[in-house]
Structures are given as structure tokens and as C-alpha cells.
Amino acid sequence: MDCALYYIAMRNMKKLKAIAATDRSESGKKFFKFISDHDFSSDRGRNSAEKNAYSLLRKRKYASAASFFLLAEPPMIKSAVDVIRLQLQDTSLAFFVARLIENAMKS
């Protein structure tokens, strides 16, 4: 689910779920189950997204970790942008994600 970061940053969960549903890999199935089973505006869902993000950081899956930080409602923007900027070393992507989140929050 390489595209997850962009769809989550755009707050377009409906399209992300549709794409995840078509992924036949084991990790794709787990991701679809995770995003379908959790309400990320609740404390339980927010904590679950945060724990998974830190687990992905330990596994050095930085883009996925940033995605999970952004799943929570409200998104953990600072944590996600820090991961993108420091671990992925992509300042442009960090600004892009921050702007997408900012625009999605306004609408």
C-alpha cells in the first residue's frame, strides 16, 4: 500500500478502503482489516494507530509509519512530518503532506 500516505493525507478514506480491498497480498489484507475495523476518532482507534506507527518505525518502514500517524483523528501531523523529514530525508514530501492535511482539515 505505497499510496496509503497520499490518500490518508488527503483524508480520502473511502478511496483508500476501495484500493486496499483489491490488494491480494497478506499485508494488504491486514491493512484493509485494520482500517475497516477501527474508528480512528475514538481513543481506542487513535491508540491503535499510534502503536502500529511506532511498531513500523522499529521495523524501519518509515512511509507506512507516517501513514499510521496520520490515520488518527485528529492526525498526529508533527510526528508524521518528522518521520518523513528525518527518516525518509524528504523535505518536499513533508511539506506536501503537511499542506494536504491542512487543506483537508479546512474543508
Side-chain angles (χ1 to χ4, degrees):
M1 291 302 314
D2 295 333
C3 65
L5 179 62
Y6 302 106
Y7 283 102
I8 293 169
M10 290 186 298
R11 311 314 283 168
N12 199 337
M13 296 302 290
K14 189 173 182 179
K15 282 187 184 177
L16 178 64
K17 285 180 183 178
I19 292 170
T22 63
D23 190 351
R24 298 291 177 221
S25 68
E26 190 62 36
S27 62
K29 290 177 184 176
K30 285 182 183 179
F31 180 70
F32 177 69
K33 183 174 179 358
F34 181 79
I35 61 174
S36 297
D37 290 348
H38 288 85
D39 171 22
F40 297 105
S41 59
S42 70
D43 284 341
R44 182 178 176 266
R46 184 174 170 79
N47 288 338
S48 182
E50 187 175 11
K51 285 180 184 179
N52 278 289
Y54 284 115
S55 174
L56 289 164
L57 281 176
R58 283 191 300 277
K59 295 175 184 176
R60 295 194 169 126
K61 295 182 179 184
Y62 300 122
S64 297
S67 299
F68 275 79
F69 279 124
L70 295 174
L71 271 176
E73 286 292 335
M76 295 177 251
I77 300 169
K78 183 178 179 347
S79 298
V81 168
D82 284 346
V83 168
I84 295 168
R85 189 175 53 85
L86 298 174
Q87 302 299 331
L88 294 176
Q89 297 178 349
D90 194 341
T91 306
S92 299
L93 180 60
F95 278 119
F96 179 67
V97 167
R99 289 298 303 257
L100 282 176
I101 292 288
E102 178 184 315
N103 289 337
M105 301 288 274
K106 287 181 183 177
S107 49

